Amino acid sequence: MASETREWLGWRDAAEHALYGPEGFFRRTEGPAGHFRTSVHASPRYAAAVAELLARVDRALGHPAELAMVDMGAGRGELLTGVLACAAGMAARRGSGLAERLRPYAVERAPRPPGLDPRITWLGDLGELPRDGLDGLLFANEWLDNVPVDVAEADADGAWRRVLVATEDGAERLGEQVGGADADWLARWWPSARDEPGLRAEIGRPRDEAWAEAVRALRSGLAVAVDYAHERGARPLFGTLTGFREGREVRPVPDGSCDLTAHVALDACAAAGEAALRGMADPTPEDHRPADHRPADHRPADHRPADHRPADHRPADHRPADHRPADHRPADHRPADHRPADHRPADHRPADHRPADHRPADHRPADHRPADHRPADHSRADPSLLPVTLPQRDALRALGVEGRRPPLALATDDPAAYVRALSAAGEAAELLDPAGLGGFTWLLQPTVAVCGGLLGPGRPGGETAAERLGS
């Protein structure tokens, strides 16, 4: 009888209310820092590294009049506060005027904390950012893992079924079979052996959509997501959904008492970000093949009304008589017949009449947004535009974070300096630890070519989304 009176919800709806509802976990007074330790809280060197990346974006963009720094899932504004402090020092040393041009935005569903730097614009939703787009850096540290998702479990027949949860105690049962867009996402991004009952998956489609919206907020710049992540070829068999409270991992119960988190399929998010920048629907793996984006498919000439006029297809044009010497009679030399366009090889290729050249997707309004026509921004031939993933330890090292112990001689010459350097090395080591915070994955998604490769030559430790897909 008790089960009949319980409220059973999918995990996405249950977590949404538990985390962000009126009494939700992230709206509590103590904030996330009261329950778990992120890189932002571990060391001010993290904010310094983000500030260094911001400065590189600024240089790449040519020092725009307004440089945006967007912090997604800003918590209580700790990262932006640290970046602002570092930016002031960097501007003084380098004379770039970065601090004066910097426009910091915090996107966070919790209320603005008291005493926050007044320069920080506090927004409750991405949609509140300026509509004409921003130039700068969007940084999402441990944001996507808290975008609620549904959980699926393979039933006795091997079919994915949605997992329902009781909000008061976390009890679970299987609901309806997963279908539609969620089933498509699982087939593409979580291809596990579904014939084994009990296997689980987190349906990451809401995170893909959230990341795509975040990337679109930038007119030019770099979007970065940092989270625990997994890849399509190595998804966890039983998912990763868990809870955290007061520094300890606990059983996930969607009652608002604990954080609810699951690792992120960042490869799927990267593909969604690419699709958003190109103004096209979510691509299938085949859409990453270079042949799908050859220039000939997008030439304006392929869509000229004249190419489709009935006269071009009348049967008389294909009679054997058309190939007799009479083809050179004067009538065939009237000016209209000698337009250069009529003699282009492409006009005679069978491929010009393929149904694919007339697919509706080529004419969608989204393809005509000004940002989508920037040649430098949307050329698949330019590797600088491909999203890159790499471990946090590699990203931070490329930004100047080192965990080396100071020389012992410093302890004799300047004991206080030695203690400070030793403390700094310990903080850096925590950020770089591959078994801890250093095990996070960074996704770097440039929206313009000049913001690709900002962590140095050779994409240290990084792989592009195409490489992740094996194309």
Side-chain angles (χ1 to χ4, degrees):
M1 293 296 293
S3 63
E4 297 178 2
T5 61
R6 285 179 172 176
E7 181 181 22
W8 294 94
L9 298 173
W11 266 107
R12 182 182 179 185
D13 291 337
E16 174 69 26
H17 180 76
L19 295 177
Y20 305 111
E23 305 298 325
F25 176 79
F26 283 112
R27 296 184 182 274
R28 295 170 60 166
T29 305
E30 68 273 20
H35 295 272
F36 50 85
R37 184 178 175 85
T38 71
S39 298
V40 177
H41 307 123
S43 170
R45 279 150 189 80
Y46 191 78
V50 174
E52 170 60 28
L53 181 58
L54 177 65
R56 296 185 188 185
V57 170
D58 183 42
R59 288 194 298 272
L61 295 178
H63 308 294
E66 290 191 358
L67 178 70
M69 168 70 198
V70 182
D71 183 10
M72 296 299 306
R76 297 300 181 265
E78 299 96 333
L79 177 59
L80 282 179
T81 299
V83 168
L84 284 170
C86 293
M90 293 167 63
R93 293 193 304 272
R94 304 178 185 180
S96 65
L98 186 151
E100 292 74 20
R101 294 180 290 106
L102 184 57
R103 301 293 181 268
Y105 297 88
V107 180
E108 172 59 59
R109 297 172 70 172
R112 182 187 184 100
L116 187 68
D117 192 310
R119 291 174 292 176
I120 298 174
T121 299
W122 194 267
L123 305 174
D125 186 79
L126 261 172
E128 298 176 30
L129 287 169
R131 289 179 176 269
D132 56 348
L134 299 169
D135 305 309
L137 174 66
L138 181 143
F139 202 87
N141 184 68
E142 296 193 54
W143 169 56
L144 287 171
D145 69 294
N146 287 126
V147 173
V149 295
D150 273 321
V151 176
E153 182 175 315
D155 64 14
D157 298 321
W160 285 121
R161 299 177 72 90
R162 208 171 301 273
V163 176
L164 304 181
V165 60
T167 56
E168 64 269 26
D169 61 4
E172 294 181 335
R173 70 182 186 188
L174 296 187
E176 74 281 4
Q177 187 168 332
V178 177
D182 285 344
D184 293 341
W185 190 93
L186 286 171
R188 178 183 175 190
W189 292 110
W190 205 295
S192 60
R194 292 190 295 165
D195 57 344
E196 297 184 24
L199 295 186
R200 285 200 166 199
E202 288 111 21
I203 305 172
R205 187 171 60 86
R207 293 171 174 176
D208 296 355
E209 294 171 352
W211 181 244
E213 183 183 3
V215 170
R216 280 194 296 264
L218 288 179
R219 179 171 51 210
S220 65
L222 178 68
V224 179
V226 183
D227 249 307
Y228 284 123
H230 42 62
E231 305 170 359
R232 186 171 63 178
R235 303 290 188 216
L237 294 177
F238 302 101
T240 59
L241 177 66
T242 191
F244 281 93
R245 181 173 54 239
E246 297 177 351
R248 295 183 296 109
E249 186 172 2
V250 297
R251 179 169 168 266
V253 178
D255 61 357
S257 67
C258 65
D259 179 29
L260 299 171
T261 177
H263 295 189
V264 183
L266 276 182
D267 48 356
C269 294
E274 281 193 278
L277 290 174
R278 301 181 192 285
M280 56 189 285
D282 184 35
T284 61
E286 287 74 21
D287 286 325
H288 292 276
R289 297 177 299 174
D292 288 343
H293 303 282
R294 58 188 184 274
D297 288 340
H298 304 288
R299 293 179 304 168
D302 290 338
H303 304 288
R304 294 181 306 162
D307 289 339
H308 305 290
R309 59 183 186 272
D312 288 341
H313 303 289
R314 59 182 183 274
D317 290 340
H318 303 288
R319 294 176 304 180
D322 289 339
H323 303 287
R324 295 176 301 175
D327 288 337
H328 302 289
R329 61 186 181 273
D332 289 336
H333 299 288
R334 61 181 184 271
D337 291 336
H338 290 288
R339 291 179 301 172
D342 291 340
H343 298 289
R344 291 177 306 166
D347 290 339
H348 302 288
R349 292 181 305 172
D352 288 341
H353 302 288
R354 293 176 303 174
D357 288 338
H358 306 290
R359 57 185 183 274
D362 289 340
H363 304 288
R364 290 179 304 168
D367 289 340
H368 302 289
R369 295 180 301 173
D372 292 337
H373 293 291
R374 294 177 297 179
D377 297 352
H378 303 291
S379 169
R380 284 190 182 273
D382 189 343
S384 297
L385 284 168
L386 294 175
V388 170
T389 55
L390 69 163
Q392 170 157 293
R393 58 186 177 276
D394 290 346
L396 292 181
R397 283 171 177 156
L399 293 169
V401 177
E402 293 288 347
R404 287 196 292 263
R405 185 183 182 123
L408 288 175
L410 183 62
T412 302
D413 298 338
D414 190 341
Y418 177 79
V419 171
R420 290 194 299 270
L422 192 62
S423 175
E427 292 176 359
E430 182 179 2
L431 292 174
L432 301 173
D433 181 8
L437 296 175
F440 277 107
T441 298
W442 282 41
L443 165 62
L444 296 97
Q445 192 131 36
T447 68
V448 287
V450 293
C451 287
L454 293 183
L455 295 190
R459 298 186 286 105
E463 292 181 296
T464 67
E467 288 168 341
R468 292 281 187 200
L469 291 170
S471 59

